Amino acid sequence: MTWDLAFKLLALFAMIAIGWLATRRGMLGGAEGQRAMAGAAFGIFVPALLFRTMAALDLSQLPGQLLLAFFGPLMLWALAVWGWERRRADRHVDPDAHPADAAVRSVALTFGNTVQVGLPFAAALFGQAGLQIHLAIVALHALVILSLITVLAEIDLARAAARQGEGAALGPMLLGIVRQSLLHPVVLPVLLGMGWRLTGLTLHPVADQMLLTLGQAGVPLCLILIGASLAQHGLSPDPRALLGRVLLKLLLLPAVVAAAGWWLFGLRGLPLSVLVMAAALPIGSNALLFAQRYRTREGEASAVIVVSSVLFAFSAPLWLAVLAWLS
């Protein structure tokens, strides 16, 4: 763990603490105020960041094999977590359960903090060559993971509506799932940004600066919301289950990526190290935004973000030692 990364983590915790304190002092307007802030983050700031990123992204320059070696296992992992949580929900009927619970937990156990923690970590440990690989992951991270899990969430919502007799026939239901997925505030700006890139046009400097400023505002707002959610919901009614989920993200997911990279794709050295450490990152703030989008498991999402960020200080050196041994 480098000092630079340690300071970055402390800065994250400080902003989360500000959100917690502001909520305890009644400065954020209670639950409705937090939902309004989350709506702004998920409806304005994050879409601006995603559109600008995709509008400037040259897909032809991305390392295709390395991205497949990373996102292939991650997508299978996300599907496995979603399937497991859905099966548990079907077996144990919970009157307080929400149809999107499985998707929300899938995001939390898959989506890493590739920007606030991942960028300085990759730059400090792997240099320019490693940072370029990590930036390629960042460019597609939200597109691949959040788009997939958004579709899963919409499928579960449609399934729940059908069970209650409120659903439409199969054809209209599928069209509804597709429409809700495409109009999602994560998927739509990504698709629009890709469409803009395909036109060959560049963003006007005024538009580019506006999108940059909006995107930068989303990061501190997300951290404030994590602290606010912790103040409202607390850590977790079941700390053992919380810790188990965090350890799955910090230990088992990177092991899956390492095994796939080593045996299926034949990766060694720097590329393997960058991919494994990207998978080993703590849970990103989009897990909370996703939970707030569907209004379920918000306290749990906040808790796993904070706990995983703390434990990353211990799991990161462990993975670096494993990677050094593999090399």
Side-chain angles (χ1 to χ4, degrees), residues 67-87:
L67 292 175
L68 180 61
F70 180 76
F71 286 113
L74 246 68
M75 293 175 70
L76 292 175
W77 171 270
L79 288 168
V81 172
W82 172 73
W84 172 261
E85 292 292 342
R86 263 187 56 170
R87 186 177 181 184

Side-chain angles (χ1 to χ4, degrees), residues 59-72 136 140 265 275:
L59 295 174
S60 65
Q61 299 298 317
L62 296 178
Q65 183 186 20
L66 294 181
L67 292 175
L68 180 61
F70 180 76
F71 286 113
L140 297 179
F265 294 90
L275 265 56

Side-chain angles (χ1 to χ4, degrees), residues 234-247 300 303-304 307 311:
L235 270 178
S236 174
D238 189 351
R240 291 181 60 184
L242 173 71
L243 181 61
R245 291 190 175 93
V246 168
L247 292 179
E300 182 179 300
V304 293
V307 173
L311 294 184

Side-chain angles (χ1 to χ4, degrees), residues 34-289:
Q34 292 176 35
R35 292 200 183 280
M37 293 171 63
F42 214 59
I44 300 174
F45 302 125
V46 171
L49 174 65
L50 293 173
F51 177 85
R52 183 177 182 271
T53 299
M54 298 309 299
L57 181 64
D58 187 356
L59 295 174
S60 65
Q61 299 298 317
L62 296 178
Q65 183 186 20
L66 294 181
L67 292 175
L68 180 61
F70 180 76
F71 286 113
L74 246 68
M75 293 175 70
L76 292 175
W77 171 270
L79 288 168
V81 172
W82 172 73
W84 172 261
E85 292 292 342
R86 263 187 56 170
R87 186 177 181 184
R88 286 181 68 246
D90 290 341
R91 284 185 172 181
H92 308 286
V93 178
D94 182 357
D96 297 325
H98 188 280
D101 280 351
V104 168
R105 282 178 168 166
S106 181
V107 170
L109 269 67
T110 307
F111 200 93
N113 191 335
T114 56
V115 178
Q116 297 106 309
V117 177
L119 285 177
F121 190 86
L125 293 180
F126 304 125
Q128 186 62 31
L131 181 59
Q132 288 180 351
I133 299 174
H134 185 81
L135 284 171
I137 292 172
V138 171
L140 297 179
H141 195 212
L143 167 64
V144 174
I145 301 304
L146 293 184
S147 298
L148 170 66
I149 301 179
T150 293
V151 173
L152 300 179
E154 294 300 331
I155 289 173
D156 284 342
L157 288 172
R159 178 173 172 245
R163 281 182 172 179
Q164 296 173 3
E166 301 172 1
L170 179 60
M173 183 180 73
L174 292 176
L175 288 175
I177 292 171
V178 172
R179 182 176 64 84
Q180 291 297 327
S181 300
L182 291 178
L183 296 179
H184 194 274
V186 167
V187 179
L188 183 59
V190 167
L191 295 177
L192 292 176
M194 292 178 67
W196 184 274
R197 177 67 185 179
L198 291 175
T199 66
L201 299 174
T202 58
L203 291 171
H204 189 278
V206 174
D208 185 64
Q209 184 60 42
M210 178 194 69
L211 292 170
L212 174 63
T213 304
L214 287 173
Q216 289 173 335
V219 173
L221 179 57
C222 290
L223 295 171
I224 294 294
L225 284 170
I226 292 170
S229 181
L230 282 175
Q232 182 180 2
H233 301 287
L235 270 178
S236 174
D238 189 351
R240 291 181 60 184
L242 173 71
L243 181 61
R245 291 190 175 93
V246 168
L247 292 179
L248 285 174
K249 171 65 179 74
L250 296 180
L251 299 180
L252 187 55
L253 176 57
V256 170
V257 172
W262 181 276
W263 279 295
L264 294 181
F265 294 90
L267 298 179
R268 302 290 187 271
L270 180 66
L272 181 66
S273 297
V274 175
L275 265 56
V276 171
M277 293 313 301
L281 289 169
I283 297 164
S285 57
N286 270 312
L288 174 60
L289 292 183

Side-chain angles (χ1 to χ4, degrees), residues 270-327:
L270 180 66
L272 181 66
S273 297
V274 175
L275 265 56
V276 171
M277 293 313 301
L281 289 169
I283 297 164
S285 57
N286 270 312
L288 174 60
L289 292 183
F290 199 87
Q292 290 176 324
R293 166 75 177 177
Y294 292 102
R295 300 196 174 194
T296 181
R297 304 288 175 184
E298 297 165 60
E300 182 179 300
S302 302
V304 293
I305 291 168
V306 173
V307 173
S308 68
S309 298
V310 173
L311 294 184
F312 179 69
F314 303 95
S315 63
L318 172 64
W319 277 112
L320 290 173
V322 171
L323 290 167
W325 176 74
L326 288 176
S327 299

